[in-house]
Structure formats: structure tokens, C-alpha cells
mmCIF file of all heavy atoms in Angstrom:
data_model
loop_
_atom_site.group_PDB
_atom_site.id
_atom_site.type_symbol
_atom_site.label_atom_id
_atom_site.label_comp_id
_atom_site.label_asym_id
_atom_site.label_seq_id
_atom_site.Cartn_x
_atom_site.Cartn_y
_atom_site.Cartn_z
ATOM 1 N N VAL A 1 1.285 8.895 -2.133
ATOM 2 C CA VAL A 1 0.592 9.096 -0.892
ATOM 3 C C VAL A 1 -0.817 9.657 -1.059
ATOM 4 O O VAL A 1 -0.975 10.664 -1.823
ATOM 5 C CB VAL A 1 1.425 9.908 0.092
ATOM 6 C CG1 VAL A 1 0.575 10.207 1.371
ATOM 7 C CG2 VAL A 1 2.733 9.293 0.448
ATOM 8 N N GLY A 2 -1.849 9.022 -0.571
ATOM 9 C CA GLY A 2 -3.225 9.422 -0.669
ATOM 10 C C GLY A 2 -3.938 8.754 -1.801
ATOM 11 O O GLY A 2 -5.166 8.814 -1.893
ATOM 12 N N LEU A 3 -3.199 8.048 -2.713
ATOM 13 C CA LEU A 3 -3.909 7.399 -3.849
ATOM 14 C C LEU A 3 -4.790 6.247 -3.336
ATOM 15 O O LEU A 3 -4.455 5.542 -2.316
ATOM 16 C CB LEU A 3 -2.920 6.844 -4.837
ATOM 17 C CG LEU A 3 -2.045 7.823 -5.610
ATOM 18 C CD1 LEU A 3 -1.209 7.120 -6.652
ATOM 19 C CD2 LEU A 3 -2.886 8.954 -6.234
ATOM 20 N N LYS A 4 -5.953 6.032 -3.912
ATOM 21 C CA LYS A 4 -6.811 4.931 -3.637
ATOM 22 C C LYS A 4 -6.199 3.641 -4.086
ATOM 23 O O LYS A 4 -5.595 3.555 -5.155
ATOM 24 C CB LYS A 4 -8.216 5.069 -4.302
ATOM 25 C CG LYS A 4 -8.993 6.250 -3.802
ATOM 26 C CD LYS A 4 -10.337 6.323 -4.514
ATOM 27 C CE LYS A 4 -10.124 6.786 -6.000
ATOM 28 N NZ LYS A 4 -11.403 6.983 -6.681
ATOM 29 N N VAL A 5 -6.336 2.586 -3.258
ATOM 30 C CA VAL A 5 -5.819 1.260 -3.589
ATOM 31 C C VAL A 5 -7.034 0.374 -3.934
ATOM 32 O O VAL A 5 -7.914 0.232 -3.131
ATOM 33 C CB VAL A 5 -5.027 0.686 -2.406
ATOM 34 C CG1 VAL A 5 -4.530 -0.716 -2.717
ATOM 35 C CG2 VAL A 5 -3.838 1.563 -2.079
ATOM 36 N N VAL A 6 -6.980 -0.202 -5.141
ATOM 37 C CA VAL A 6 -8.026 -0.962 -5.710
ATOM 38 C C VAL A 6 -7.619 -2.442 -5.934
ATOM 39 O O VAL A 6 -6.531 -2.661 -6.514
ATOM 40 C CB VAL A 6 -8.563 -0.393 -7.043
ATOM 41 C CG1 VAL A 6 -9.661 -1.232 -7.678
ATOM 42 C CG2 VAL A 6 -8.998 1.020 -6.862
ATOM 43 N N ARG A 7 -8.412 -3.361 -5.459
ATOM 44 C CA ARG A 7 -8.174 -4.809 -5.588
ATOM 45 C C ARG A 7 -9.443 -5.449 -6.081
ATOM 46 O O ARG A 7 -10.552 -5.294 -5.494
ATOM 47 C CB ARG A 7 -7.774 -5.383 -4.267
ATOM 48 C CG ARG A 7 -7.552 -6.889 -4.290
ATOM 49 C CD ARG A 7 -7.245 -7.440 -2.931
ATOM 50 N NE ARG A 7 -7.074 -8.850 -2.999
ATOM 51 C CZ ARG A 7 -6.969 -9.615 -1.936
ATOM 52 N NH1 ARG A 7 -7.144 -9.087 -0.732
ATOM 53 N NH2 ARG A 7 -6.822 -10.921 -2.050
ATOM 54 N N ASP A 8 -9.338 -6.168 -7.161
ATOM 55 C CA ASP A 8 -10.487 -6.882 -7.744
ATOM 56 C C ASP A 8 -11.674 -5.891 -7.977
ATOM 57 O O ASP A 8 -12.846 -6.227 -7.739
ATOM 58 C CB ASP A 8 -10.954 -8.057 -6.866
ATOM 59 C CG ASP A 8 -9.887 -9.135 -6.787
ATOM 60 O OD1 ASP A 8 -9.125 -9.322 -7.700
ATOM 61 O OD2 ASP A 8 -9.779 -9.765 -5.649
ATOM 62 N N GLY A 9 -11.381 -4.707 -8.426
ATOM 63 C CA GLY A 9 -12.412 -3.653 -8.716
ATOM 64 C C GLY A 9 -12.977 -2.955 -7.545
ATOM 65 O O GLY A 9 -13.838 -2.116 -7.726
ATOM 66 N N GLN A 10 -12.461 -3.300 -6.296
ATOM 67 C CA GLN A 10 -13.036 -2.631 -5.077
ATOM 68 C C GLN A 10 -11.921 -1.873 -4.385
ATOM 69 O O GLN A 10 -10.832 -2.322 -4.220
ATOM 70 C CB GLN A 10 -13.633 -3.630 -4.170
ATOM 71 C CG GLN A 10 -14.853 -4.354 -4.738
ATOM 72 C CD GLN A 10 -15.468 -5.276 -3.637
ATOM 73 O OE1 GLN A 10 -15.108 -5.253 -2.483
ATOM 74 N NE2 GLN A 10 -16.380 -6.090 -4.075
ATOM 75 N N GLU A 11 -12.321 -0.651 -3.929
ATOM 76 C CA GLU A 11 -11.334 0.154 -3.127
ATOM 77 C C GLU A 11 -11.209 -0.488 -1.758
ATOM 78 O O GLU A 11 -12.136 -0.777 -1.073
ATOM 79 C CB GLU A 11 -11.832 1.579 -2.993
ATOM 80 C CG GLU A 11 -10.904 2.468 -2.250
ATOM 81 C CD GLU A 11 -11.383 3.895 -2.124
ATOM 82 O OE1 GLU A 11 -12.250 4.307 -2.893
ATOM 83 O OE2 GLU A 11 -10.847 4.574 -1.270
ATOM 84 N N ILE A 12 -9.941 -0.760 -1.368
ATOM 85 C CA ILE A 12 -9.692 -1.391 -0.094
ATOM 86 C C ILE A 12 -8.944 -0.447 0.852
ATOM 87 O O ILE A 12 -8.817 -0.804 2.043
ATOM 88 C CB ILE A 12 -8.903 -2.718 -0.215
ATOM 89 C CG1 ILE A 12 -7.595 -2.439 -0.885
ATOM 90 C CG2 ILE A 12 -9.724 -3.715 -1.011
ATOM 91 C CD1 ILE A 12 -6.646 -3.622 -0.732
ATOM 92 N N GLY A 13 -8.457 0.685 0.383
ATOM 93 C CA GLY A 13 -7.787 1.593 1.284
ATOM 94 C C GLY A 13 -7.064 2.665 0.511
ATOM 95 O O GLY A 13 -7.449 2.957 -0.635
ATOM 96 N N HIS A 14 -6.011 3.297 1.131
ATOM 97 C CA HIS A 14 -5.256 4.269 0.470
ATOM 98 C C HIS A 14 -3.779 4.172 0.885
ATOM 99 O O HIS A 14 -3.464 3.506 1.907
ATOM 100 C CB HIS A 14 -5.770 5.670 0.786
ATOM 101 C CG HIS A 14 -5.557 6.066 2.231
ATOM 102 N ND1 HIS A 14 -6.419 5.703 3.220
ATOM 103 C CD2 HIS A 14 -4.571 6.740 2.835
ATOM 104 C CE1 HIS A 14 -5.993 6.165 4.369
ATOM 105 N NE2 HIS A 14 -4.820 6.777 4.170
ATOM 106 N N VAL A 15 -2.877 4.740 0.090
ATOM 107 C CA VAL A 15 -1.446 4.701 0.377
ATOM 108 C C VAL A 15 -1.173 5.740 1.497
ATOM 109 O O VAL A 15 -1.469 6.957 1.310
ATOM 110 C CB VAL A 15 -0.592 5.040 -0.905
ATOM 111 C CG1 VAL A 15 0.827 5.072 -0.507
ATOM 112 C CG2 VAL A 15 -0.914 4.007 -1.959
ATOM 113 N N ALA A 16 -0.703 5.258 2.605
ATOM 114 C CA ALA A 16 -0.436 6.111 3.768
ATOM 115 C C ALA A 16 1.045 6.711 3.627
ATOM 116 O O ALA A 16 1.211 7.868 3.905
ATOM 117 C CB ALA A 16 -0.554 5.344 5.107
ATOM 118 N N ARG A 17 1.908 5.871 3.097
ATOM 119 C CA ARG A 17 3.331 6.349 2.898
ATOM 120 C C ARG A 17 4.051 5.307 2.031
ATOM 121 O O ARG A 17 3.572 4.218 1.800
ATOM 122 C CB ARG A 17 3.988 6.548 4.237
ATOM 123 C CG ARG A 17 4.269 5.299 4.982
ATOM 124 C CD ARG A 17 5.062 5.529 6.310
ATOM 125 N NE ARG A 17 5.371 4.234 6.900
ATOM 126 C CZ ARG A 17 4.559 3.428 7.496
ATOM 127 N NH1 ARG A 17 3.332 3.720 7.690
ATOM 128 N NH2 ARG A 17 5.019 2.245 7.965
ATOM 129 N N VAL A 18 5.224 5.695 1.602
ATOM 130 C CA VAL A 18 6.082 4.784 0.835
ATOM 131 C C VAL A 18 7.379 4.651 1.688
ATOM 132 O O VAL A 18 8.035 5.651 2.042
ATOM 133 C CB VAL A 18 6.429 5.320 -0.550
ATOM 134 C CG1 VAL A 18 7.396 4.369 -1.273
ATOM 135 C CG2 VAL A 18 5.163 5.565 -1.350
ATOM 136 N N ASP A 19 7.731 3.403 2.041
ATOM 137 C CA ASP A 19 8.983 3.140 2.816
ATOM 138 C C ASP A 19 10.023 2.745 1.792
ATOM 139 O O ASP A 19 9.851 1.796 1.012
ATOM 140 C CB ASP A 19 8.783 2.017 3.799
ATOM 141 C CG ASP A 19 7.778 2.421 4.894
ATOM 142 O OD1 ASP A 19 7.591 3.631 5.106
ATOM 143 O OD2 ASP A 19 7.278 1.511 5.586
ATOM 144 N N HIS A 20 11.100 3.486 1.812
ATOM 145 C CA HIS A 20 12.268 3.180 0.910
ATOM 146 C C HIS A 20 13.287 2.321 1.624
ATOM 147 O O HIS A 20 13.966 2.784 2.501
ATOM 148 C CB HIS A 20 12.876 4.484 0.330
ATOM 149 C CG HIS A 20 11.940 5.320 -0.343
ATOM 150 N ND1 HIS A 20 11.516 5.110 -1.604
ATOM 151 C CD2 HIS A 20 11.274 6.456 0.077
ATOM 152 C CE1 HIS A 20 10.611 6.023 -1.996
ATOM 153 N NE2 HIS A 20 10.461 6.842 -0.940
ATOM 154 N N LEU A 21 13.327 1.049 1.263
ATOM 155 C CA LEU A 21 14.288 0.093 1.872
ATOM 156 C C LEU A 21 15.355 -0.331 0.848
ATOM 157 O O LEU A 21 15.179 -0.122 -0.340
ATOM 158 C CB LEU A 21 13.550 -1.169 2.367
ATOM 159 C CG LEU A 21 12.358 -0.876 3.365
ATOM 160 C CD1 LEU A 21 11.708 -2.137 3.743
ATOM 161 C CD2 LEU A 21 12.914 -0.219 4.580
ATOM 162 N N PRO A 22 16.472 -0.809 1.333
ATOM 163 C CA PRO A 22 17.557 -1.185 0.430
ATOM 164 C C PRO A 22 17.108 -2.183 -0.654
ATOM 165 O O PRO A 22 17.507 -2.069 -1.837
ATOM 166 C CB PRO A 22 18.610 -1.768 1.329
ATOM 167 C CG PRO A 22 18.345 -1.264 2.680
ATOM 168 C CD PRO A 22 16.839 -1.034 2.717
ATOM 169 N N ALA A 23 16.338 -3.175 -0.339
ATOM 170 C CA ALA A 23 15.983 -4.246 -1.327
ATOM 171 C C ALA A 23 14.906 -3.767 -2.263
ATOM 172 O O ALA A 23 14.897 -4.087 -3.465
ATOM 173 C CB ALA A 23 15.517 -5.500 -0.583
ATOM 174 N N GLN A 24 13.852 -3.104 -1.708
ATOM 175 C CA GLN A 24 12.794 -2.648 -2.506
ATOM 176 C C GLN A 24 11.932 -1.627 -1.731
ATOM 177 O O GLN A 24 12.060 -1.577 -0.554
ATOM 178 C CB GLN A 24 11.909 -3.772 -2.957
ATOM 179 C CG GLN A 24 11.173 -4.470 -1.839
ATOM 180 C CD GLN A 24 10.561 -5.777 -2.251
ATOM 181 O OE1 GLN A 24 10.841 -6.341 -3.238
ATOM 182 N NE2 GLN A 24 9.741 -6.323 -1.370
ATOM 183 N N ASP A 25 11.044 -0.844 -2.404
ATOM 184 C CA ASP A 25 10.190 0.054 -1.737
ATOM 185 C C ASP A 25 8.965 -0.715 -1.283
ATOM 186 O O ASP A 25 8.526 -1.718 -1.889
ATOM 187 C CB ASP A 25 9.756 1.164 -2.647
ATOM 188 C CG ASP A 25 10.878 2.109 -3.024
ATOM 189 O OD1 ASP A 25 11.865 2.109 -2.287
ATOM 190 O OD2 ASP A 25 10.767 2.825 -3.999
ATOM 191 N N LEU A 26 8.336 -0.244 -0.162
ATOM 192 C CA LEU A 26 7.105 -0.849 0.321
ATOM 193 C C LEU A 26 6.022 0.238 0.363
ATOM 194 O O LEU A 26 6.301 1.382 0.714
ATOM 195 C CB LEU A 26 7.300 -1.386 1.751
ATOM 196 C CG LEU A 26 8.247 -2.546 1.961
ATOM 197 C CD1 LEU A 26 8.438 -2.874 3.401
ATOM 198 C CD2 LEU A 26 7.793 -3.758 1.203
ATOM 199 N N LEU A 27 4.872 -0.117 -0.028
ATOM 200 C CA LEU A 27 3.695 0.727 0.096
ATOM 201 C C LEU A 27 3.016 0.422 1.392
ATOM 202 O O LEU A 27 2.673 -0.728 1.680
ATOM 203 C CB LEU A 27 2.697 0.586 -1.070
ATOM 204 C CG LEU A 27 3.152 0.874 -2.487
ATOM 205 C CD1 LEU A 27 2.047 0.559 -3.495
ATOM 206 C CD2 LEU A 27 3.588 2.307 -2.599
ATOM 207 N N ALA A 28 2.855 1.434 2.183
ATOM 208 C CA ALA A 28 2.056 1.273 3.467
ATOM 209 C C ALA A 28 0.636 1.584 3.137
ATOM 210 O O ALA A 28 0.283 2.763 2.864
ATOM 211 C CB ALA A 28 2.623 2.192 4.558
ATOM 212 N N ILE A 29 -0.214 0.587 3.106
ATOM 213 C CA ILE A 29 -1.646 0.741 2.718
ATOM 214 C C ILE A 29 -2.449 0.699 3.950
ATOM 215 O O ILE A 29 -2.439 -0.247 4.743
ATOM 216 C CB ILE A 29 -2.019 -0.345 1.726
ATOM 217 C CG1 ILE A 29 -1.144 -0.200 0.497
ATOM 218 C CG2 ILE A 29 -3.488 -0.254 1.382
ATOM 219 C CD1 ILE A 29 -1.327 -1.321 -0.494
ATOM 220 N N GLN A 30 -3.272 1.777 4.150
ATOM 221 C CA GLN A 30 -4.149 1.881 5.257
ATOM 222 C C GLN A 30 -5.520 1.409 4.824
ATOM 223 O O GLN A 30 -6.138 2.008 3.960
ATOM 224 C CB GLN A 30 -4.241 3.344 5.815
ATOM 225 C CG GLN A 30 -5.090 3.510 7.032
ATOM 226 C CD GLN A 30 -4.571 2.704 8.198
ATOM 227 O OE1 GLN A 30 -3.349 2.845 8.536
ATOM 228 N NE2 GLN A 30 -5.358 1.893 8.848
ATOM 229 N N THR A 31 -6.013 0.349 5.420
ATOM 230 C CA THR A 31 -7.312 -0.200 5.169
ATOM 231 C C THR A 31 -8.251 0.335 6.256
ATOM 232 O O THR A 31 -7.818 1.156 7.098
ATOM 233 C CB THR A 31 -7.356 -1.731 5.180
ATOM 234 O OG1 THR A 31 -7.076 -2.248 6.461
ATOM 235 C CG2 THR A 31 -6.363 -2.315 4.166
ATOM 236 N N SER A 32 -9.487 -0.116 6.326
ATOM 237 C CA SER A 32 -10.372 0.375 7.377
ATOM 238 C C SER A 32 -9.981 0.010 8.744
ATOM 239 O O SER A 32 -10.295 0.661 9.716
ATOM 240 C CB SER A 32 -11.774 -0.104 7.088
ATOM 241 O OG SER A 32 -11.821 -1.522 7.087
ATOM 242 N N ASP A 33 -9.210 -1.105 8.922
ATOM 243 C CA ASP A 33 -8.907 -1.562 10.292
ATOM 244 C C ASP A 33 -7.381 -1.808 10.520
ATOM 245 O O ASP A 33 -7.028 -2.075 11.662
ATOM 246 C CB ASP A 33 -9.665 -2.810 10.640
ATOM 247 C CG ASP A 33 -9.389 -3.985 9.693
ATOM 248 O OD1 ASP A 33 -8.783 -3.759 8.609
ATOM 249 O OD2 ASP A 33 -9.667 -5.128 10.010
ATOM 250 N N LYS A 34 -6.524 -1.661 9.499
ATOM 251 C CA LYS A 34 -5.135 -1.965 9.766
ATOM 252 C C LYS A 34 -4.243 -1.337 8.647
ATOM 253 O O LYS A 34 -4.753 -0.879 7.651
ATOM 254 C CB LYS A 34 -4.856 -3.461 9.872
ATOM 255 C CG LYS A 34 -5.125 -4.290 8.619
ATOM 256 C CD LYS A 34 -4.890 -5.772 8.804
ATOM 257 C CE LYS A 34 -5.224 -6.489 7.553
ATOM 258 N NZ LYS A 34 -4.994 -7.956 7.776
ATOM 259 N N GLU A 35 -2.943 -1.441 8.869
ATOM 260 C CA GLU A 35 -1.967 -0.989 7.890
ATOM 261 C C GLU A 35 -1.226 -2.223 7.363
ATOM 262 O O GLU A 35 -0.813 -3.099 8.152
ATOM 263 C CB GLU A 35 -0.979 0.000 8.483
ATOM 264 C CG GLU A 35 0.070 0.471 7.469
ATOM 265 C CD GLU A 35 1.028 1.430 8.123
ATOM 266 O OE1 GLU A 35 0.720 2.678 8.133
ATOM 267 O OE2 GLU A 35 2.077 1.004 8.550
ATOM 268 N N VAL A 36 -1.121 -2.340 6.028
ATOM 269 C CA VAL A 36 -0.470 -3.492 5.442
ATOM 270 C C VAL A 36 0.698 -2.943 4.584
ATOM 271 O O VAL A 36 0.548 -1.976 3.878
ATOM 272 C CB VAL A 36 -1.480 -4.227 4.525
ATOM 273 C CG1 VAL A 36 -0.765 -5.359 3.830
ATOM 274 C CG2 VAL A 36 -2.638 -4.749 5.299
ATOM 275 N N LEU A 37 1.846 -3.553 4.754
ATOM 276 C CA LEU A 37 3.030 -3.244 3.887
ATOM 277 C C LEU A 37 3.040 -4.135 2.705
ATOM 278 O O LEU A 37 3.047 -5.358 2.831
ATOM 279 C CB LEU A 37 4.307 -3.325 4.745
ATOM 280 C CG LEU A 37 4.459 -2.402 5.935
ATOM 281 C CD1 LEU A 37 5.701 -2.756 6.755
ATOM 282 C CD2 LEU A 37 4.375 -0.973 5.465
ATOM 283 N N LEU A 38 3.118 -3.523 1.561
ATOM 284 C CA LEU A 38 3.045 -4.195 0.289
ATOM 285 C C LEU A 38 4.265 -3.944 -0.531
ATOM 286 O O LEU A 38 4.584 -2.783 -0.795
ATOM 287 C CB LEU A 38 1.784 -3.816 -0.515
ATOM 288 C CG LEU A 38 1.470 -4.534 -1.768
ATOM 289 C CD1 LEU A 38 0.942 -5.922 -1.439
ATOM 290 C CD2 LEU A 38 0.371 -3.813 -2.579
ATOM 291 N N PRO A 39 5.012 -4.959 -0.989
ATOM 292 C CA PRO A 39 6.159 -4.700 -1.861
ATOM 293 C C PRO A 39 5.731 -4.018 -3.119
ATOM 294 O O PRO A 39 4.750 -4.397 -3.740
ATOM 295 C CB PRO A 39 6.679 -6.078 -2.170
ATOM 296 C CG PRO A 39 6.164 -6.942 -1.042
ATOM 297 C CD PRO A 39 4.810 -6.408 -0.668
ATOM 298 N N PHE A 40 6.421 -2.911 -3.445
ATOM 299 C CA PHE A 40 6.109 -2.106 -4.590
ATOM 300 C C PHE A 40 6.862 -2.725 -5.822
ATOM 301 O O PHE A 40 7.857 -2.205 -6.261
ATOM 302 C CB PHE A 40 6.463 -0.690 -4.395
ATOM 303 C CG PHE A 40 5.954 0.262 -5.431
ATOM 304 C CD1 PHE A 40 4.836 0.056 -6.122
ATOM 305 C CD2 PHE A 40 6.671 1.433 -5.631
ATOM 306 C CE1 PHE A 40 4.358 0.940 -7.121
ATOM 307 C CE2 PHE A 40 6.192 2.323 -6.619
ATOM 308 C CZ PHE A 40 5.048 2.081 -7.345
ATOM 309 N N VAL A 41 6.336 -3.910 -6.355
ATOM 310 C CA VAL A 41 6.860 -4.574 -7.448
ATOM 311 C C VAL A 41 5.817 -4.778 -8.534
ATOM 312 O O VAL A 41 4.605 -4.843 -8.205
ATOM 313 C CB VAL A 41 7.533 -5.907 -7.058
ATOM 314 C CG1 VAL A 41 8.754 -5.708 -6.174
ATOM 315 C CG2 VAL A 41 6.543 -6.803 -6.420
ATOM 316 N N LYS A 42 6.162 -4.829 -9.747
ATOM 317 C CA LYS A 42 5.226 -4.931 -10.900
ATOM 318 C C LYS A 42 4.263 -6.101 -10.766
ATOM 319 O O LYS A 42 3.110 -6.063 -11.157
ATOM 320 C CB LYS A 42 6.017 -4.999 -12.197
ATOM 321 C CG LYS A 42 5.163 -4.972 -13.441
ATOM 322 C CD LYS A 42 4.718 -3.583 -13.753
ATOM 323 C CE LYS A 42 4.095 -3.543 -15.172
ATOM 324 N NZ LYS A 42 3.380 -2.308 -15.356
#
């Protein structure tokens, strides 16, 4: 939580929280205008 999220060398947001679900964990990434849930897989 709070780590910067980088895509293609550019910061696009930060980790708002980690959702622990039965199938896999999801990273809730807060961008400048929305929240995106991203599967936490390699």
C-alpha cells in the first residue's frame, strides 16, 4: 500500500489497497481519475 505504480517507465498511480480473493489477490491502483483492479500475478 502506497507504492508507486510504474508502467512503461512512467508513474501512473499508487497502490491504494490489496484485495485478497479466493482465486488471486488484486491490487487496487489509484490513478489520477479512477481506481483499477489489477490481478497480482507475475
Side-chain angles (χ1 to χ4, degrees):
V1 174
L3 296 186
K4 294 182 286 187
V5 178
V6 177
R7 176 184 181 192
D8 298 328
Q10 294 186 10
E11 183 179 341
I12 61 164
H14 69 276
V15 177
R17 68 180 189 282
V18 179
D19 293 341
H20 302 284
L21 302 178
Q24 65 192 13
D25 293 341
L26 295 175
L27 297 178
I29 298 173
Q30 184 63 51
T31 66
S32 61
D33 61 343
K34 64 182 176 178
E35 182 179 271
V36 177
L37 295 176
L38 185 72
F40 190 29
V41 294
K42 186 79 171 167

